[in-house]
Amino acid sequence: MTPLLNVDTARSNILAGLHELPAETISLAECLNRVIADDIVSPLDLPPFDNSAMDGYAIRHEDSEGASQEQPVTLTVSLDIRAGAASAGQLEPGSAARIMTGAPIPAGCSAVIPVEDTDDDWQKGEASPLPPELRIGKTLRYGENIRRAGENIASGATIMQAGTSLGPAEIGMLAGIGCAKVNVVRQPKVVILSSGDELVDVHQALEPGQIRDTNSYTLAALVRQSGGLPIRLPIAKDNLDAIRALYRRALEINPDMIISTAGVSVGAADLVKVVMDELGDIDFWRINMRPGKPLAYGTLQGLPFFGLPGNPVSTMVTYEVLVRPALEKLAGRESKPRAIKAAIAEDLTSDGRRSYNRVTLTRHKDGVVARSTGIQSSGALMSMVLADGLAIIPEGRTRVSAGEELSVLPLRDFD
Ligand code: AMP
Ligand code: MG
C-alpha cells in the first residue's frame, strides 16, 4: 500500500502546475466580482478641482472672525456658483458667493459656510433671487467645508492592485477615473462530469435503485462561487463507451479545467480510471483526509483534471480543500487562508487522518463554539446543509475533547 499523501503536499503539488489565465477586456458595467489583471493607476486628481462640500456661501474665512449667533457679520453677496460651473470667478474681501455642493470654489475663497449658519433660508425654491447681503453667525477655520483637488485620489497613485476583486465601490471608483473598459482575468471554464448507473437527473422520476445526481449541481454552484463558468454534461452510464464519449465531449469544449465525480475508488464499475489512463496523465492519490481519501489529479490532453470521490460530502470537502484554491489560482484570485479558531462543544473522534467535521458555528463572548451537525457520513449531504464550517481534526489525532480549540474552515457567514 502506498502511504497516504499529506493534504498540504497535495495542494502545493496541484498549485505548482497552474497559472493565472490571460486577461480579457470587458466594459465596466459587466465587472462585478471580476478580478483585475493589472494595477490601476489614476490618470487624474479626484476631485479634479477644489469644490464646496456644502450648499452655502463661499467666503474668505478671515471675514468670519468673531461672528456668532448673537453678533453676526454682514457680507455683500457678489456671485452665484452652481455645480458644473466652468469657472468660479474671484471673491473680493468682505463678500460672499452663493455656492452649491460640488461647485468649484472661487479664487480667494478659504471656507464655505453652510446655508443653515446664515440668515438666508433657501426655502424660496429654485429661482430664489440672490440676496444683496448675508449675515453669518459662525466663525470658520481656514479650509472648512472645502474639498481639495486630489484629496480623494492623487494623480499617479496606484488605487487598486492586480488581483483585486471588483465590488460596487471599486466599480464606482473606476468610473470616477474614466475607466470605461477594464482588463480582467478570464473566468475559468470548468466542465463537470458525472457517471453512475444509479444516477438520474433532477427532472427524472426515481426507479428502484436509483438516486438523483446531486454532485454536478453542487459542483456547478461551487465553481460559480469561485468565479468560474461551469458547464454540466449529462450523466454517463457505467460502461467504457459511455464514459469515453463523455470525456471526449468534455475535451472538445476545450475548458480550463475538468472535474469529474465518482469512479475513482476501487469498485468494479469504476471505469473512469481506465479512460483516464487512455486520455491523460493522471495520478491516483490516496490522500490523508477524511472524507475524501481517493482522488485523481493530473492532466487530460494538457488540461487540469480532478477526479473527486463520488460521495456528495466527499465531493464538496475535497472541492473546498483542493479544487477551490486551484480554481482561484486560474482566476487570478488571491487564496486567503480562511481558517478560524473555534472551541469544540463535544468530544470528537477520528481515524487518524486529517478529518473535516461538519459543524455549526456560534459566536459567544469568549470566542466561537463549533458543534457537530450530527451524522458525519460522507453520503449525508444534509450535514453540509446544516454546517457553517468544517472543523479540522489534525492528522495523527484520534480524539479531541470538548473545549479544545480546533481550526475551522468557515463555509458561510454565521452569528
Ligand atoms: P462511486 O465513487 O461511483 O463508487 O460513488 C460513491 C458513492 O457516491 C455512491 O453511493 C454513489 O451513488 C454516490 N454518487 C456518485 N456520483 C454521484 C452524484 N453525481 N450525485 C450523487 N451521488 C453520487
Ligand atoms: Mg459509481
Side-chain angles (χ1 to χ4, degrees), residues 56-58 76-82 87-92 95-99 105-107 130-131:
Y57 283 86
T76 54
V77 178
S78 56
L79 296 166
D80 194 13
I81 311 164
R82 300 269 164 153
S87 76
Q90 168 83 32
L91 190 70
E92 299 304 334
S95 72
R98 184 162 70 178
I99 193 163
I105 63 163
L130 208 57

Side-chain angles (χ1 to χ4, degrees), residues 248-265:
R248 295 239 161 82
R249 218 173 130 190
L251 288 166
E252 277 162 18
I253 293 171
N254 193 27
D256 301 298
M257 182 184 282
I258 298 174
I259 307 175
S260 86
T261 63
V264 290
S265 54

Side-chain angles (χ1 to χ4, degrees), residues 219-401:
L219 277 173
L222 286 164
V223 165
R224 223 179 266 288
Q225 213 182 43
S226 311
L229 295 171
I231 301 158
R232 289 176 47 249
L233 292 189
I235 305 149
K237 290 285 180 204
D238 281 323
N239 66 69
L240 267 181
D241 286 344
I243 292 172
R244 248 189 224 116
L246 181 68
Y247 277 73
R248 295 239 161 82
R249 218 173 130 190
L251 288 166
E252 277 162 18
I253 293 171
N254 193 27
D256 301 298
M257 182 184 282
I258 298 174
I259 307 175
S260 86
T261 63
V264 290
S265 54
V266 288
D270 290 335
L271 305 164
V272 173
K273 279 183 174 175
V274 178
V275 176
M276 287 177 195
D277 279 336
E278 288 172 10
L279 293 176
D281 185 9
I282 306 290
D283 287 324
F284 292 90
W285 287 345
R286 295 174 63 247
I287 298 188
N288 195 12
M289 68 184 284
R290 190 181 76 140
K293 185 168 64 177
L295 189 132
Y297 182 73
T299 53
L300 281 185
Q301 298 188 356
L303 299 171
F305 170 85
F306 282 93
L308 303 184
N311 276 311
V313 176
S314 312
T315 303
M316 290 192 78
V317 172
T318 48
Y319 183 93
E320 288 300 333
V321 175
L322 298 167
V323 186
R324 188 187 291 278
L327 206 48
E328 287 179 346
K329 184 157 187 195
L330 293 184
R333 287 172 197 275
E334 199 194 333
S335 238
K336 295 186 203 81
R338 294 180 298 138
I340 59 163
K341 294 281 177 198
I344 201 82
E346 64 255 275
D347 294 354
L348 292 180
T349 55
S350 173
D351 64 356
R353 285 181 280 163
R354 189 182 296 187
S355 154
Y356 293 82
N357 293 258
R358 276 73 74 204
V359 291
T360 61
L361 297 171
T362 326
R363 265 182 232 286
H364 290 257
K365 64 177 189 314
D366 305 328
V368 179
V369 170
R371 192 175 298 276
S372 169
T373 57
I375 181 166
Q376 295 286 322
S377 154
S378 59
L381 190 53
M382 198 60 199
S383 69
M384 288 299 283
V385 174
L386 297 173
D388 297 319
L390 301 170
I392 305 168
I393 303 178
E395 44 271 71
R397 299 282 307 271
T398 49
R399 125 172 241 110
V400 290
S401 309

